Amino acid sequence: MAKNTEKNELMEKVISLAKRRGFVYQGSEIYGGLAGTWDYGPLGVALKNNVKNLWWKMFVEGREDMYGVDAAILMNGKVWESSGHVAGFSDPLVECVKCKRRFRADHIEGDMCPECGGKLGESRQFNMMFKTQIGAMEDSSATSYLRPETAQGIFVNFKNIIDSFHPKLPFGIGQIGKAFRNEITPRDFIFRVRELEQMEVEYFVHPEEWEKYFEMWREIMWKWIEAIGIDKKNVEEHEIADGDRAHYSKRTIDFEFNYPFGKKELYGLAYRTDFDLKSHMAGSGVSLEYLDEEKKEKFIPHVIEPSLGLDRTILAILLEAYSEDELGEGTRVFLKFKPSVAPVKVAVFPLLKNKPELVKKAREVFEMIKKEIPQTMWDDNGNVGKRYRRQDEIGTPYCVTVDFDTLGEKAELKDTVTLRNRDSGKQERVEIGELTKMLKSAIL
Ligand code: GAP
């Protein structure tokens, strides 16, 4: 994180860069926006997809004990009754008697309105689920909710996975998808939003082994934090006290990131016991027990849940990557992304765009690299110095320039290009034949 940048200034700079360079735009912007919604632009989507792919590899595909699902966002309304969300998924809300603005009671100090100074009323519970009607019927049987967590789509598929794959405990089910929360006060850019994306695992274990697997996932979460380029020094574990945990949890550790607006939850790791499977078993009348064939033991598995918010991850990655230095003329802004998450890995330029022989050769180099590294970009706008600045600002780790030496102006440099490193600004001469292999190993 940039040390010489004041914390609130850092947030402003990241938000402005994110918009200017096409990472994140305000949702419905031309209509004045919609609070708590954000649209990811081309570079934001690429960054998000890189993070999702890495997560999927590390948490699902790269393991033998994991199964992936993509459950429907709309679910039978009874799911949310059984899961306890209808009764208990709420935040305390207070309303100003004078201006009628509403706030989260636990985000406010004292009993005065922070906007107009009026008196705040009594606190009451506000359910954060978005209610909706399914189909043309308007009675209560058609009521459902946009899912507030992806987890329930996993629990209702527990039996399907058992029946199709016959896995042995412990095993897990992973899912990436959208979730919706009618936050009373969405804030801090993409930190607290109303439409979010989660990457969740429900890991089913024998009840006596929950501690062992809680520790296993705790370690994996730290490895993940490193893998996406977040300095471990900027993350701290916070044990959630009895009474403060979600209704389903017997133990929760929050992984808090040092955001400019304070240390706040980035991820959660929870021991959900058998709460969910038991509740769905009672609610649906369908057995969700597991039979251990060898031990002839039948029981409801317990669950360890590493839950990772994607939007909060993207914000942490952007904040962590934002850097300024004095390379070249004036202050340079660059995003020091780990190459594996960078939305553009390589940019290829012809030294001059009005020299057809340079452009032709540069296009050949570009197409050669793009075949192997799809996140490769062509750039021929302005001069090379400006292109470097533009690529630095979006975090492109490597730039390749095709110049007259490439064409053989200096015979000994024929078929070589300039490869420039984002962080050091250093340039080296590399043979075209070696380039793709070299870049591939550098961006892993
Ligand atoms: N299934 C468990 C669960 O949903 P949670 O702590 O409520 O637990 C999990 O949410 C993660 O989802 C959080 O750690 C955070 O990363 C993300 N998250 C939750 N609410 C969010 C919001 N309003 N905006 C952005 N991310 C959010």
Side-chain angles (χ1 to χ4, degrees):
M1 210 174 291
K3 296 220 169 37
N4 57 353
T5 311
E6 288 300 323
K7 286 194 161 184
N8 47 359
E9 237 182 74
L10 171 66
M11 197 66 186
E12 291 305 313
K13 286 179 176 180
V14 164
I15 295 172
S16 130
L17 189 155
K19 177 174 164 59
R20 188 160 33 86
R21 299 308 312 271
F23 284 89
V24 185
Y25 306 115
Q26 194 184 359
S28 316
E29 190 175 4
I30 61 166
Y31 285 98
L34 176 67
T37 66
W38 297 89
D39 296 344
Y40 286 80
L43 296 183
V45 176
L47 175 57
K48 244 177 149 183
N49 283 342
N50 290 343
V51 171
K52 288 198 268 190
N53 290 338
L54 282 172
W55 183 89
W56 195 256
K57 260 187 219 146
M58 188 187 253
F59 285 74
V60 183
E61 239 167 39
R63 302 178 55 96
E64 287 180 38
D65 54 354
M66 285 294 305
Y67 299 83
V69 293
D70 183 11
I73 290 175
L74 291 173
M75 302 176 80
N76 190 312
K78 287 182 189 152
V79 168
W80 305 107
E81 284 165 25
S82 300
S83 69
H85 284 80
V86 172
F89 191 65
S90 45
D91 272 342
L93 175 144
V94 280
E95 189 175 288
C96 171
V97 175
K98 198 165 146 202
C99 72
K100 305 288 176 210
R101 282 196 182 90
R102 292 173 165 193
F103 306 93
R104 238 178 90 165
D106 54 339
H107 286 173
I108 298 270
E109 275 174 31
D111 57 1
M112 306 301 269
C113 172
E115 294 291 334
C116 76
K119 184 136 183 58
L120 294 174
E122 285 293 302
S123 161
R124 66 180 170 88
Q125 289 301 316
F126 171 78
N127 193 299
M128 289 199 290
M129 287 198 294
F130 285 98
K131 208 182 221 178
T132 188
Q133 294 296 121
I134 311 284
M137 299 295 286
E138 295 229 334
D139 62 17
S140 64
S141 67
T143 297
S144 192
Y145 306 86
L146 298 185
R147 66 183 180 198
E149 58 167 5
T150 59
Q152 297 305 325
I154 293 180
F155 292 123
V156 300
N157 276 292
F158 172 77
K159 187 173 169 350
N160 287 333
I161 299 295
I162 295 262
D163 292 347
S164 309
F165 297 92
H166 312 288
K168 293 223 171 348
L169 282 192
F171 74 91
I173 305 177
Q175 169 164 238
I176 299 177
K178 290 265 184 163
F180 303 82
R181 298 182 182 191
N182 200 0
E183 294 282 354
I184 297 166
T185 42
R187 55 159 97 164
D188 299 319
F189 189 34
I190 49 174
F191 176 80
R192 189 175 303 286
V193 292
R194 290 188 168 131
E195 180 176 334
L196 56 133
E197 210 159 347
Q198 292 182 318
M199 306 180 287
E200 296 200 300
V201 165
E202 307 304 321
Y203 197 71
F204 302 96
V205 303
H206 189 281
E208 280 166 19
E209 292 190 317
W210 76 267
E211 277 155 314
K212 175 171 149 194
Y213 292 110
F214 192 90
E215 289 309 313
M216 179 184 91
W217 284 106
R218 193 179 189 172
E219 259 176 48
I220 295 172
M221 285 173 82
W222 279 110
K223 279 200 190 117
W224 164 256
I225 286 164
E226 255 191 320
I228 54 172
I230 292 180
D231 189 338
K232 283 170 153 186
K233 286 203 294 269
N234 287 324
V235 180
E236 249 175 51
E237 287 187 6
H238 173 62
E239 182 86 43
I240 306 297
D242 290 350
D244 290 342
R245 286 189 294 267
H247 60 276
Y248 48 73
S249 173
K250 266 218 174 131
R251 184 176 182 198
T252 297
I253 291 178
D254 278 354
F255 287 70
E256 296 185 336
F257 180 74
N258 198 3
Y259 289 101
F261 42 89
K263 254 190 209 134
K264 300 272 164 145
E265 177 183 348
L266 170 63
Y267 303 139
L269 175 64
Y271 168 41
R272 290 182 81 129
T273 69
D274 58 355
F275 178 88
D276 302 273
L277 289 184
K278 210 167 164 179
S279 309
H280 287 307
M281 197 161 142
S284 66
V286 174
S287 171
L288 298 176
E289 285 176 308
Y290 170 84
L291 173 67
D292 184 329
E293 308 261 8
E294 279 161 33
K295 292 190 185 141
K296 303 283 176 248
E297 191 189 0
K298 216 178 193 187
F299 57 92
I300 301 176
H302 280 217
V303 170
I304 308 297
E305 177 196 64
S307 176
L308 289 75
L310 183 56
D311 310 84
R312 288 187 188 179
T313 306
I314 299 298
L315 181 55
I317 288 176
L318 285 170
L319 289 163
E320 186 88 28
Y322 186 91
S323 313
E324 292 178 1
D325 69 8
E326 299 304 319
L327 189 83
E329 275 168 45
T331 304
R332 166 177 84 131
V333 172
F334 64 116
L335 292 178
K336 221 173 177 173
F337 287 137
K338 205 157 181 191
S340 55
V341 302
V344 179
K345 315 281 188 219
V346 187
V348 180
F349 326 141
L351 180 67
L352 300 169
K353 79 169 181 187
N354 57 359
K355 296 282 173 209
E357 63 278 31
L358 277 181
V359 174
K360 183 170 175 281
K361 187 75 183 170
R363 287 297 304 181
E364 278 170 29
V365 172
F366 167 70
E367 278 157 28
M368 173 191 84
I369 301 174
K370 196 162 173 70
K371 243 188 242 158
E372 297 285 321
I373 306 172
Q375 289 177 320
T376 297
M377 188 185 214
W378 171 262
D379 191 355
D380 61 5
N381 268 325
N383 62 37
V384 171
K386 285 207 178 108
R387 293 178 206 157
Y388 284 155
R389 288 281 159 133
R390 266 205 309 274
Q391 294 299 330
D392 286 344
E393 218 185 23
I394 62 168
T396 307
Y398 296 99
C399 292
V400 171
T401 306
V402 169
D403 56 19
F404 292 107
D405 290 338
T406 316
L407 303 179
E409 200 167 275
K410 277 200 198 99
E412 70 278 17
L413 295 181
K414 187 167 170 16
D415 285 330
T416 65
V417 292
T418 304
L419 180 65
R420 186 245 191 199
N421 179 296
R422 174 197 65 202
D423 300 341
S424 64
K426 290 218 171 85
Q427 301 180 17
E428 59 180 316
R429 218 56 214 183
V430 175
E431 282 182 26
I432 291 175
E434 294 294 309
L435 196 56
T436 310
K437 197 169 131 216
M438 199 170 158
L439 285 167
K440 272 176 94 174
S441 69
I443 60 166
L444 276 180

